[in-house]
Amino acid sequence: MHVEAFTFNSFMTNCYLCYDDGEAVLIDASCASDAERQEVLRVIDENDLELRHLLLTHAHVDHIFGCQFFESRFDMTFKAHEAAVPFIERADEQAEAFGVEVEPPTVPTTFLAEGDTVSFGTVTLDVLHTPGHSPDSISFVHSDSQQAVTGDVLFQNSIGRTQGLPETSRSQLLNSITEKLLPLGDEMRIYPGHGPETTIGRERHQNPFVKEALGGTDEGVGWRGPTGAGR
Ligand SMILES: [Zn+2]
Ligand SMILES: [Zn+2]
């Protein structure tokens, strides 16, 4: 599975175009401008890809920019966790809270839950429900190539934000990391919703929040994470 990463909009949100054998999925479109949309379209054209699914790791406003554009332009299915629906319905409110504007996407046509799969090309992605940062947070895992797109759950040296956002739970988030992501194994490459890609092994050994959750050292106490991370 090829993964093309883009970083878009004022929240510096990562968008991933994953493709294999001429077919693609777009995870978290995140495109807030025409230039950003064109960037994704160029990669689709250059690789002659058929877009099969539009996927959301979760429906926070920074991840749903551009969904409406791709949804209306391509014949594909829009999939997210069912708990994304109220967030999409309140997209205007979310945008207003952050002082931005968003074209609200239509509600996803198919819901994904723990244990579901998403297929394109020769790839099958496994869906994990990884709530805490938001109730609808899901992760997409490709075991064969050891790659996972995990949204705002686990970042390089940080974790998803659980303050100042509705329906968050820090303990649930840490549980998602320790019970769902860490078992994927140290070699698993993680493509997060913000910041650079990382691996489970790196975060298990260096991420102060993960170490704290695992009951290791107290190194992480008081560490507040990089500015802007965790949206
Ligand atoms: Zn985000
Ligand atoms: Zn988020």
Side-chain angles (χ1 to χ4, degrees):
M1 176 175 78
H2 299 269
V3 179
E4 183 82 21
F6 307 87
T7 302
F8 290 148
N9 75 55
S10 56
F11 300 90
M12 304 287 283
T13 305
N14 293 331
C15 159
Y16 297 103
L17 182 70
C18 304
Y19 59 96
D20 178 74
D21 204 21
E23 295 188 345
V25 293
L26 186 64
I27 307 181
D28 294 353
S30 309
C31 305
S33 71
D34 187 54
E36 291 173 348
R37 294 189 284 265
Q38 295 305 323
E39 226 180 294
V40 175
L41 290 176
R42 187 175 50 76
V43 178
I44 290 172
D45 285 348
E46 277 175 4
N47 294 281
D48 199 18
L49 301 174
E50 187 186 337
L51 207 46
R52 291 284 311 281
H53 311 284
L54 175 63
L55 307 175
L56 276 183
T57 60
H58 65 302
H60 280 158
V61 68
D62 53 320
H63 297 253
I64 63 177
F65 290 119
C67 282
Q68 201 277 338
F69 173 85
F70 286 99
E71 216 185 358
S72 59
R73 187 167 178 128
F74 293 92
D75 182 21
M76 60 181 175
T77 53
F78 181 23
K79 301 183 173 188
H81 191 274
E82 195 167 5
V85 173
F87 284 88
I88 288 173
E89 288 173 347
R90 294 197 307 262
D92 280 344
E93 266 174 61
Q94 287 198 64
E96 210 180 301
F98 288 104
V100 296
E101 281 180 26
V102 64
E103 269 185 283
T106 55
V107 171
T109 48
T110 312
F111 298 126
L112 294 172
E114 174 87 17
D116 285 344
T117 58
V118 178
S119 297
F120 60 98
T122 66
V123 166
T124 299
L125 297 175
D126 293 310
V127 175
L128 298 179
H129 187 213
T130 45
H133 168 71
S134 65
D136 59 325
S137 290
I138 50 177
S139 297
F140 300 96
V141 180
H142 187 230
S143 302
D144 291 351
S145 67
Q146 294 278 284
Q147 300 180 95
V149 178
T150 55
D152 293 357
V153 177
L154 178 64
F155 301 125
Q156 190 184 93
N157 283 342
S158 188
I159 58 174
R161 175 174 153 191
T162 53
Q163 286 166 330
L165 292 169
E167 296 177 65
T168 58
S169 162
R170 185 183 164 94
S171 61
Q172 199 179 37
L173 175 68
L174 291 172
N175 200 53
S176 290
I177 293 169
T178 56
E179 301 298 316
K180 302 282 182 70
L181 297 187
L182 296 190
L184 297 174
D186 285 356
E187 300 304 312
M188 182 64 69
R189 194 180 301 177
I190 298 296
Y191 296 97
H194 301 270
E197 65 173 80
T198 183
T199 63
I200 289 295
R202 188 193 182 284
E203 299 316 305
R204 187 197 301 276
H205 296 111
Q206 296 183 32
N207 186 313
F209 300 94
V210 175
K211 288 166 72 174
E212 196 185 340
L214 291 173
T217 70
D218 61 359
E219 207 177 308
V221 173
W223 200 84
R224 307 191 70 83
T227 309
R231 286 190 176 104

PDB file of all heavy atoms in Angstrom, residues 128 141-143 145-148 150 154 176-191 198-205 210 214:
ATOM      1  N   LEU A 128     -10.259  -0.223  13.660  1.00  0.00           N
ATOM      2  CA  LEU A 128     -10.240  -0.294  15.122  1.00  0.00           C
ATOM      3  C   LEU A 128     -10.981   0.914  15.665  1.00  0.00           C
ATOM      4  O   LEU A 128     -10.787   2.025  15.163  1.00  0.00           O
ATOM      5  CB  LEU A 128      -8.801  -0.248  15.658  1.00  0.00           C
ATOM      6  CG  LEU A 128      -7.837  -1.355  15.278  1.00  0.00           C
ATOM      7  CD1 LEU A 128      -6.464  -1.078  15.895  1.00  0.00           C
ATOM      8  CD2 LEU A 128      -8.361  -2.706  15.753  1.00  0.00           C
ATOM      9  N   VAL A 141      -5.929   0.032   9.775  1.00  0.00           N
ATOM     10  CA  VAL A 141      -4.684  -0.716   9.901  1.00  0.00           C
ATOM     11  C   VAL A 141      -4.482  -1.653   8.709  1.00  0.00           C
ATOM     12  O   VAL A 141      -5.374  -2.426   8.369  1.00  0.00           O
ATOM     13  CB  VAL A 141      -4.692  -1.564  11.199  1.00  0.00           C
ATOM     14  CG1 VAL A 141      -3.401  -2.354  11.342  1.00  0.00           C
ATOM     15  CG2 VAL A 141      -4.928  -0.671  12.419  1.00  0.00           C
ATOM     16  N   HIS A 142      -3.299  -1.549   8.077  1.00  0.00           N
ATOM     17  CA  HIS A 142      -2.940  -2.505   7.036  1.00  0.00           C
ATOM     18  C   HIS A 142      -1.795  -3.373   7.562  1.00  0.00           C
ATOM     19  O   HIS A 142      -0.626  -2.966   7.552  1.00  0.00           O
ATOM     20  CB  HIS A 142      -2.517  -1.783   5.743  1.00  0.00           C
ATOM     21  CG  HIS A 142      -2.311  -2.719   4.609  1.00  0.00           C
ATOM     22  ND1 HIS A 142      -1.179  -2.724   3.825  1.00  0.00           N
ATOM     23  CD2 HIS A 142      -3.102  -3.715   4.131  1.00  0.00           C
ATOM     24  CE1 HIS A 142      -1.283  -3.669   2.903  1.00  0.00           C
ATOM     25  NE2 HIS A 142      -2.434  -4.289   3.074  1.00  0.00           N
ATOM     26  N   SER A 143      -2.157  -4.552   8.041  1.00  0.00           N
ATOM     27  CA  SER A 143      -1.169  -5.415   8.698  1.00  0.00           C
ATOM     28  C   SER A 143      -0.066  -5.859   7.742  1.00  0.00           C
ATOM     29  O   SER A 143       1.107  -5.910   8.124  1.00  0.00           O
ATOM     30  CB  SER A 143      -1.857  -6.655   9.290  1.00  0.00           C
ATOM     31  OG  SER A 143      -2.841  -6.256  10.204  1.00  0.00           O
ATOM     32  N   SER A 145       1.450  -4.467   5.228  1.00  0.00           N
ATOM     33  CA  SER A 145       2.541  -3.507   5.013  1.00  0.00           C
ATOM     34  C   SER A 145       2.945  -2.790   6.304  1.00  0.00           C
ATOM     35  O   SER A 145       3.776  -1.892   6.285  1.00  0.00           O
ATOM     36  CB  SER A 145       2.144  -2.479   3.943  1.00  0.00           C
ATOM     37  OG  SER A 145       1.083  -1.649   4.405  1.00  0.00           O
ATOM     38  N   GLN A 146       2.310  -3.189   7.418  1.00  0.00           N
ATOM     39  CA  GLN A 146       2.658  -2.607   8.718  1.00  0.00           C
ATOM     40  C   GLN A 146       2.487  -1.087   8.741  1.00  0.00           C
ATOM     41  O   GLN A 146       3.381  -0.339   9.147  1.00  0.00           O
ATOM     42  CB  GLN A 146       4.112  -2.977   9.088  1.00  0.00           C
ATOM     43  CG  GLN A 146       4.319  -4.459   9.321  1.00  0.00           C
ATOM     44  CD  GLN A 146       3.905  -4.865  10.737  1.00  0.00           C
ATOM     45  OE1 GLN A 146       4.599  -4.626  11.698  1.00  0.00           O
ATOM     46  NE2 GLN A 146       2.738  -5.474  10.862  1.00  0.00           N
ATOM     47  N   GLN A 147       1.324  -0.624   8.255  1.00  0.00           N
ATOM     48  CA  GLN A 147       1.041   0.805   8.245  1.00  0.00           C
ATOM     49  C   GLN A 147      -0.360   1.049   8.794  1.00  0.00           C
ATOM     50  O   GLN A 147      -1.288   0.294   8.490  1.00  0.00           O
ATOM     51  CB  GLN A 147       1.110   1.350   6.815  1.00  0.00           C
ATOM     52  CG  GLN A 147       2.477   1.168   6.152  1.00  0.00           C
ATOM     53  CD  GLN A 147       2.494   1.715   4.733  1.00  0.00           C
ATOM     54  OE1 GLN A 147       2.896   2.846   4.511  1.00  0.00           O
ATOM     55  NE2 GLN A 147       2.041   0.923   3.787  1.00  0.00           N
ATOM     56  N   ALA A 148      -0.503   2.121   9.566  1.00  0.00           N
ATOM     57  CA  ALA A 148      -1.805   2.439  10.140  1.00  0.00           C
ATOM     58  C   ALA A 148      -2.040   3.948  10.142  1.00  0.00           C
ATOM     59  O   ALA A 148      -1.134   4.721  10.457  1.00  0.00           O
ATOM     60  CB  ALA A 148      -1.892   1.905  11.572  1.00  0.00           C
ATOM     61  N   THR A 150      -4.149   6.687  12.014  1.00  0.00           N
ATOM     62  CA  THR A 150      -4.772   6.610  13.333  1.00  0.00           C
ATOM     63  C   THR A 150      -5.440   7.901  13.805  1.00  0.00           C
ATOM     64  O   THR A 150      -5.943   7.947  14.936  1.00  0.00           O
ATOM     65  CB  THR A 150      -3.713   6.188  14.376  1.00  0.00           C
ATOM     66  OG1 THR A 150      -2.618   7.099  14.296  1.00  0.00           O
ATOM     67  CG2 THR A 150      -3.211   4.783  14.093  1.00  0.00           C
ATOM     68  N   LEU A 154      -2.666   9.020  18.698  1.00  0.00           N
ATOM     69  CA  LEU A 154      -1.269   8.947  19.116  1.00  0.00           C
ATOM     70  C   LEU A 154      -0.414   9.776  18.161  1.00  0.00           C
ATOM     71  O   LEU A 154      -0.480   9.591  16.942  1.00  0.00           O
ATOM     72  CB  LEU A 154      -0.824   7.476  19.086  1.00  0.00           C
ATOM     73  CG  LEU A 154       0.623   7.157  19.443  1.00  0.00           C
ATOM     74  CD1 LEU A 154       0.924   7.526  20.901  1.00  0.00           C
ATOM     75  CD2 LEU A 154       0.906   5.673  19.200  1.00  0.00           C
ATOM     76  N   SER A 176      -7.351   3.330  24.624  1.00  0.00           N
ATOM     77  CA  SER A 176      -7.307   3.033  23.181  1.00  0.00           C
ATOM     78  C   SER A 176      -5.866   2.819  22.726  1.00  0.00           C
ATOM     79  O   SER A 176      -5.580   1.940  21.898  1.00  0.00           O
ATOM     80  CB  SER A 176      -7.918   4.183  22.369  1.00  0.00           C
ATOM     81  OG  SER A 176      -9.318   4.241  22.557  1.00  0.00           O
ATOM     82  N   ILE A 177      -4.960   3.637  23.256  1.00  0.00           N
ATOM     83  CA  ILE A 177      -3.546   3.522  22.865  1.00  0.00           C
ATOM     84  C   ILE A 177      -2.945   2.214  23.379  1.00  0.00           C
ATOM     85  O   ILE A 177      -2.332   1.467  22.624  1.00  0.00           O
ATOM     86  CB  ILE A 177      -2.737   4.737  23.382  1.00  0.00           C
ATOM     87  CG1 ILE A 177      -3.196   6.011  22.663  1.00  0.00           C
ATOM     88  CG2 ILE A 177      -1.238   4.518  23.186  1.00  0.00           C
ATOM     89  CD1 ILE A 177      -2.664   7.297  23.249  1.00  0.00           C
ATOM     90  N   THR A 178      -3.164   1.940  24.669  1.00  0.00           N
ATOM     91  CA  THR A 178      -2.512   0.758  25.243  1.00  0.00           C
ATOM     92  C   THR A 178      -3.187  -0.554  24.837  1.00  0.00           C
ATOM     93  O   THR A 178      -2.512  -1.564  24.664  1.00  0.00           O
ATOM     94  CB  THR A 178      -2.448   0.846  26.791  1.00  0.00           C
ATOM     95  OG1 THR A 178      -3.782   1.020  27.293  1.00  0.00           O
ATOM     96  CG2 THR A 178      -1.586   2.011  27.240  1.00  0.00           C
ATOM     97  N   GLU A 179      -4.508  -0.522  24.655  1.00  0.00           N
ATOM     98  CA  GLU A 179      -5.227  -1.768  24.357  1.00  0.00           C
ATOM     99  C   GLU A 179      -5.391  -2.043  22.864  1.00  0.00           C
ATOM    100  O   GLU A 179      -5.544  -3.194  22.451  1.00  0.00           O
ATOM    101  CB  GLU A 179      -6.627  -1.754  24.996  1.00  0.00           C
ATOM    102  CG  GLU A 179      -6.637  -1.580  26.504  1.00  0.00           C
ATOM    103  CD  GLU A 179      -5.942  -2.718  27.219  1.00  0.00           C
ATOM    104  OE1 GLU A 179      -6.174  -3.880  26.842  1.00  0.00           O
ATOM    105  OE2 GLU A 179      -5.137  -2.429  28.138  1.00  0.00           O
ATOM    106  N   LYS A 180      -5.418  -0.977  22.038  1.00  0.00           N
ATOM    107  CA  LYS A 180      -5.669  -1.171  20.603  1.00  0.00           C
ATOM    108  C   LYS A 180      -4.425  -0.924  19.743  1.00  0.00           C
ATOM    109  O   LYS A 180      -4.165  -1.678  18.803  1.00  0.00           O
ATOM    110  CB  LYS A 180      -6.798  -0.245  20.121  1.00  0.00           C
ATOM    111  CG  LYS A 180      -8.124  -0.405  20.833  1.00  0.00           C
ATOM    112  CD  LYS A 180      -8.882  -1.607  20.353  1.00  0.00           C
ATOM    113  CE  LYS A 180     -10.236  -1.743  21.023  1.00  0.00           C
ATOM    114  NZ  LYS A 180     -11.224  -0.719  20.621  1.00  0.00           N
ATOM    115  N   LEU A 181      -3.690   0.154  20.023  1.00  0.00           N
ATOM    116  CA  LEU A 181      -2.570   0.505  19.135  1.00  0.00           C
ATOM    117  C   LEU A 181      -1.261  -0.210  19.504  1.00  0.00           C
ATOM    118  O   LEU A 181      -0.599  -0.771  18.631  1.00  0.00           O
ATOM    119  CB  LEU A 181      -2.360   2.024  19.101  1.00  0.00           C
ATOM    120  CG  LEU A 181      -3.536   2.839  18.529  1.00  0.00           C
ATOM    121  CD1 LEU A 181      -3.135   4.314  18.381  1.00  0.00           C
ATOM    122  CD2 LEU A 181      -4.002   2.302  17.172  1.00  0.00           C
ATOM    123  N   LEU A 182      -0.886  -0.198  20.770  1.00  0.00           N
ATOM    124  CA  LEU A 182       0.382  -0.830  21.141  1.00  0.00           C
ATOM    125  C   LEU A 182       0.440  -2.308  20.742  1.00  0.00           C
ATOM    126  O   LEU A 182       1.484  -2.773  20.288  1.00  0.00           O
ATOM    127  CB  LEU A 182       0.682  -0.654  22.639  1.00  0.00           C
ATOM    128  CG  LEU A 182       0.891   0.775  23.149  1.00  0.00           C
ATOM    129  CD1 LEU A 182       1.427   0.766  24.580  1.00  0.00           C
ATOM    130  CD2 LEU A 182       1.824   1.583  22.259  1.00  0.00           C
ATOM    131  N   PRO A 183      -0.679  -3.050  20.852  1.00  0.00           N
ATOM    132  CA  PRO A 183      -0.625  -4.469  20.424  1.00  0.00           C
ATOM    133  C   PRO A 183      -0.353  -4.659  18.929  1.00  0.00           C
ATOM    134  O   PRO A 183      -0.096  -5.781  18.486  1.00  0.00           O
ATOM    135  CB  PRO A 183      -2.015  -5.005  20.807  1.00  0.00           C
ATOM    136  CG  PRO A 183      -2.488  -4.112  21.901  1.00  0.00           C
ATOM    137  CD  PRO A 183      -1.945  -2.742  21.545  1.00  0.00           C
ATOM    138  N   LEU A 184      -0.399  -3.571  18.140  1.00  0.00           N
ATOM    139  CA  LEU A 184      -0.094  -3.708  16.715  1.00  0.00           C
ATOM    140  C   LEU A 184       1.388  -4.031  16.500  1.00  0.00           C
ATOM    141  O   LEU A 184       1.779  -4.455  15.420  1.00  0.00           O
ATOM    142  CB  LEU A 184      -0.459  -2.416  15.952  1.00  0.00           C
ATOM    143  CG  LEU A 184      -1.954  -2.058  15.962  1.00  0.00           C
ATOM    144  CD1 LEU A 184      -2.170  -0.693  15.317  1.00  0.00           C
ATOM    145  CD2 LEU A 184      -2.767  -3.126  15.238  1.00  0.00           C
ATOM    146  N   GLY A 185       2.194  -3.801  17.525  1.00  0.00           N
ATOM    147  CA  GLY A 185       3.609  -4.186  17.439  1.00  0.00           C
ATOM    148  C   GLY A 185       4.525  -3.033  17.107  1.00  0.00           C
ATOM    149  O   GLY A 185       4.139  -2.088  16.431  1.00  0.00           O
ATOM    150  N   ASP A 186       5.779  -3.130  17.579  1.00  0.00           N
ATOM    151  CA  ASP A 186       6.726  -2.024  17.463  1.00  0.00           C
ATOM    152  C   ASP A 186       7.041  -1.611  16.032  1.00  0.00           C
ATOM    153  O   ASP A 186       7.425  -0.480  15.776  1.00  0.00           O
ATOM    154  CB  ASP A 186       8.033  -2.374  18.193  1.00  0.00           C
ATOM    155  CG  ASP A 186       7.875  -2.269  19.705  1.00  0.00           C
ATOM    156  OD1 ASP A 186       6.786  -1.860  20.169  1.00  0.00           O
ATOM    157  OD2 ASP A 186       8.838  -2.604  20.425  1.00  0.00           O
ATOM    158  N   GLU A 187       6.915  -2.542  15.084  1.00  0.00           N
ATOM    159  CA  GLU A 187       7.267  -2.226  13.692  1.00  0.00           C
ATOM    160  C   GLU A 187       6.169  -1.443  12.977  1.00  0.00           C
ATOM    161  O   GLU A 187       6.398  -0.898  11.896  1.00  0.00           O
ATOM    162  CB  GLU A 187       7.527  -3.517  12.899  1.00  0.00           C
ATOM    163  CG  GLU A 187       8.652  -4.377  13.449  1.00  0.00           C
ATOM    164  CD  GLU A 187       9.950  -3.605  13.546  1.00  0.00           C
ATOM    165  OE1 GLU A 187      10.316  -2.930  12.559  1.00  0.00           O
ATOM    166  OE2 GLU A 187      10.583  -3.641  14.626  1.00  0.00           O
ATOM    167  N   MET A 188       4.981  -1.406  13.550  1.00  0.00           N
ATOM    168  CA  MET A 188       3.855  -0.753  12.873  1.00  0.00           C
ATOM    169  C   MET A 188       4.127   0.735  12.683  1.00  0.00           C
ATOM    170  O   MET A 188       4.412   1.449  13.644  1.00  0.00           O
ATOM    171  CB  MET A 188       2.575  -0.965  13.688  1.00  0.00           C
ATOM    172  CG  MET A 188       1.304  -0.381  13.077  1.00  0.00           C
ATOM    173  SD  MET A 188       0.790  -1.102  11.486  1.00  0.00           S
ATOM    174  CE  MET A 188       0.274  -2.763  11.982  1.00  0.00           C
ATOM    175  N   ARG A 189       4.031   1.199  11.438  1.00  0.00           N
ATOM    176  CA  ARG A 189       4.222   2.618  11.145  1.00  0.00           C
ATOM    177  C   ARG A 189       2.902   3.342  11.370  1.00  0.00           C
ATOM    178  O   ARG A 189       1.848   2.871  10.934  1.00  0.00           O
ATOM    179  CB  ARG A 189       4.664   2.766   9.685  1.00  0.00           C
ATOM    180  CG  ARG A 189       5.220   4.136   9.375  1.00  0.00           C
ATOM    181  CD  ARG A 189       5.641   4.236   7.931  1.00  0.00           C
ATOM    182  NE  ARG A 189       6.653   3.243   7.565  1.00  0.00           N
ATOM    183  CZ  ARG A 189       7.133   3.118   6.326  1.00  0.00           C
ATOM    184  NH1 ARG A 189       6.694   3.896   5.359  1.00  0.00           N
ATOM    185  NH2 ARG A 189       8.056   2.199   6.066  1.00  0.00           N
ATOM    186  N   ILE A 190       2.957   4.458  12.058  1.00  0.00           N
ATOM    187  CA  ILE A 190       1.758   5.222  12.419  1.00  0.00           C
ATOM    188  C   ILE A 190       1.727   6.529  11.644  1.00  0.00           C
ATOM    189  O   ILE A 190       2.678   7.321  11.691  1.00  0.00           O
ATOM    190  CB  ILE A 190       1.756   5.530  13.938  1.00  0.00           C
ATOM    191  CG1 ILE A 190       1.714   4.237  14.767  1.00  0.00           C
ATOM    192  CG2 ILE A 190       0.593   6.445  14.314  1.00  0.00           C
ATOM    193  CD1 ILE A 190       0.453   3.406  14.595  1.00  0.00           C
ATOM    194  N   TYR A 191       0.615   6.759  10.928  1.00  0.00           N
ATOM    195  CA  TYR A 191       0.393   8.033  10.248  1.00  0.00           C
ATOM    196  C   TYR A 191      -0.659   8.794  11.049  1.00  0.00           C
ATOM    197  O   TYR A 191      -1.859   8.495  10.969  1.00  0.00           O
ATOM    198  CB  TYR A 191      -0.103   7.805   8.820  1.00  0.00           C
ATOM    199  CG  TYR A 191       0.909   7.110   7.936  1.00  0.00           C
ATOM    200  CD1 TYR A 191       0.856   5.740   7.723  1.00  0.00           C
ATOM    201  CD2 TYR A 191       1.926   7.842   7.326  1.00  0.00           C
ATOM    202  CE1 TYR A 191       1.782   5.098   6.919  1.00  0.00           C
ATOM    203  CE2 TYR A 191       2.861   7.216   6.515  1.00  0.00           C
ATOM    204  CZ  TYR A 191       2.789   5.842   6.321  1.00  0.00           C
ATOM    205  OH  TYR A 191       3.707   5.215   5.527  1.00  0.00           O
ATOM    206  N   THR A 198       5.319   8.135  12.682  1.00  0.00           N
ATOM    207  CA  THR A 198       6.146   7.550  13.733  1.00  0.00           C
ATOM    208  C   THR A 198       5.936   6.034  13.724  1.00  0.00           C
ATOM    209  O   THR A 198       5.389   5.506  12.745  1.00  0.00           O
ATOM    210  CB  THR A 198       5.801   8.187  15.105  1.00  0.00           C
ATOM    211  OG1 THR A 198       6.675   7.652  16.102  1.00  0.00           O
ATOM    212  CG2 THR A 198       4.348   7.956  15.497  1.00  0.00           C
ATOM    213  N   THR A 199       6.391   5.357  14.737  1.00  0.00           N
ATOM    214  CA  THR A 199       6.137   3.909  14.849  1.00  0.00           C
ATOM    215  C   THR A 199       5.648   3.616  16.266  1.00  0.00           C
ATOM    216  O   THR A 199       5.899   4.393  17.194  1.00  0.00           O
ATOM    217  CB  THR A 199       7.415   3.069  14.613  1.00  0.00           C
ATOM    218  OG1 THR A 199       8.367   3.400  15.637  1.00  0.00           O
ATOM    219  CG2 THR A 199       8.006   3.316  13.236  1.00  0.00           C
ATOM    220  N   ILE A 200       5.000   2.485  16.406  1.00  0.00           N
ATOM    221  CA  ILE A 200       4.561   2.061  17.739  1.00  0.00           C
ATOM    222  C   ILE A 200       5.770   1.916  18.661  1.00  0.00           C
ATOM    223  O   ILE A 200       5.751   2.345  19.817  1.00  0.00           O
ATOM    224  CB  ILE A 200       3.767   0.733  17.652  1.00  0.00           C
ATOM    225  CG1 ILE A 200       2.396   0.965  17.002  1.00  0.00           C
ATOM    226  CG2 ILE A 200       3.615   0.097  19.027  1.00  0.00           C
ATOM    227  CD1 ILE A 200       1.450   1.851  17.786  1.00  0.00           C
ATOM    228  N   GLY A 201       6.848   1.328  18.132  1.00  0.00           N
ATOM    229  CA  GLY A 201       8.045   1.115  18.955  1.00  0.00           C
ATOM    230  C   GLY A 201       8.607   2.423  19.485  1.00  0.00           C
ATOM    231  O   GLY A 201       8.955   2.543  20.664  1.00  0.00           O
ATOM    232  N   ARG A 202       8.681   3.417  18.598  1.00  0.00           N
ATOM    233  CA  ARG A 202       9.214   4.718  19.017  1.00  0.00           C
ATOM    234  C   ARG A 202       8.370   5.311  20.141  1.00  0.00           C
ATOM    235  O   ARG A 202       8.901   5.783  21.143  1.00  0.00           O
ATOM    236  CB  ARG A 202       9.256   5.690  17.826  1.00  0.00           C
ATOM    237  CG  ARG A 202       9.980   6.975  18.157  1.00  0.00           C
ATOM    238  CD  ARG A 202       9.777   8.070  17.117  1.00  0.00           C
ATOM    239  NE  ARG A 202      10.540   9.250  17.498  1.00  0.00           N
ATOM    240  CZ  ARG A 202      10.191  10.101  18.463  1.00  0.00           C
ATOM    241  NH1 ARG A 202       9.080   9.897  19.147  1.00  0.00           N
ATOM    242  NH2 ARG A 202      10.953  11.134  18.768  1.00  0.00           N
ATOM    243  N   GLU A 203       7.058   5.293  19.952  1.00  0.00           N
ATOM    244  CA  GLU A 203       6.188   5.908  20.954  1.00  0.00           C
ATOM    245  C   GLU A 203       6.140   5.098  22.247  1.00  0.00           C
ATOM    246  O   GLU A 203       6.035   5.659  23.329  1.00  0.00           O
ATOM    247  CB  GLU A 203       4.780   6.136  20.375  1.00  0.00           C
ATOM    248  CG  GLU A 203       4.753   7.060  19.173  1.00  0.00           C
ATOM    249  CD  GLU A 203       5.624   8.300  19.334  1.00  0.00           C
ATOM    250  OE1 GLU A 203       5.444   9.036  20.312  1.00  0.00           O
ATOM    251  OE2 GLU A 203       6.512   8.521  18.481  1.00  0.00           O
ATOM    252  N   ARG A 204       6.234   3.790  22.127  1.00  0.00           N
ATOM    253  CA  ARG A 204       6.236   2.959  23.335  1.00  0.00           C
ATOM    254  C   ARG A 204       7.434   3.326  24.223  1.00  0.00           C
ATOM    255  O   ARG A 204       7.338   3.377  25.440  1.00  0.00           O
ATOM    256  CB  ARG A 204       6.320   1.471  22.947  1.00  0.00           C
ATOM    257  CG  ARG A 204       6.164   0.518  24.125  1.00  0.00           C
ATOM    258  CD  ARG A 204       6.649  -0.881  23.785  1.00  0.00           C
ATOM    259  NE  ARG A 204       5.956  -1.482  22.659  1.00  0.00           N
ATOM    260  CZ  ARG A 204       4.798  -2.130  22.736  1.00  0.00           C
ATOM    261  NH1 ARG A 204       4.201  -2.254  23.894  1.00  0.00           N
ATOM    262  NH2 ARG A 204       4.252  -2.660  21.660  1.00  0.00           N
ATOM    263  N   HIS A 205       8.564   3.618  23.558  1.00  0.00           N
ATOM    264  CA  HIS A 205       9.786   3.856  24.322  1.00  0.00           C
ATOM    265  C   HIS A 205      10.082   5.324  24.602  1.00  0.00           C
ATOM    266  O   HIS A 205      10.815   5.644  25.520  1.00  0.00           O
ATOM    267  CB  HIS A 205      10.973   3.205  23.597  1.00  0.00           C
ATOM    268  CG  HIS A 205      10.849   1.715  23.527  1.00  0.00           C
ATOM    269  ND1 HIS A 205      10.625   1.033  22.345  1.00  0.00           N
ATOM    270  CD2 HIS A 205      10.854   0.777  24.513  1.00  0.00           C
ATOM    271  CE1 HIS A 205      10.503  -0.260  22.607  1.00  0.00           C
ATOM    272  NE2 HIS A 205      10.638  -0.439  23.903  1.00  0.00           N
ATOM    273  N   VAL A 210       2.638   7.835  26.833  1.00  0.00           N
ATOM    274  CA  VAL A 210       2.497   6.385  26.720  1.00  0.00           C
ATOM    275  C   VAL A 210       3.261   5.704  27.853  1.00  0.00           C
ATOM    276  O   VAL A 210       2.756   4.777  28.498  1.00  0.00           O
ATOM    277  CB  VAL A 210       3.004   5.893  25.343  1.00  0.00           C
ATOM    278  CG1 VAL A 210       2.974   4.373  25.276  1.00  0.00           C
ATOM    279  CG2 VAL A 210       2.180   6.505  24.216  1.00  0.00           C
ATOM    280  N   LEU A 214       1.738   3.362  30.789  1.00  0.00           N
ATOM    281  CA  LEU A 214       2.208   1.998  31.004  1.00  0.00           C
ATOM    282  C   LEU A 214       2.807   1.831  32.398  1.00  0.00           C
ATOM    283  O   LEU A 214       3.268   0.759  32.767  1.00  0.00           O
ATOM    284  CB  LEU A 214       3.257   1.630  29.944  1.00  0.00           C
ATOM    285  CG  LEU A 214       2.714   1.491  28.515  1.00  0.00           C
ATOM    286  CD1 LEU A 214       3.853   1.299  27.524  1.00  0.00           C
ATOM    287  CD2 LEU A 214       1.719   0.337  28.420  1.00  0.00           C
TER     288      LEU A 214
END
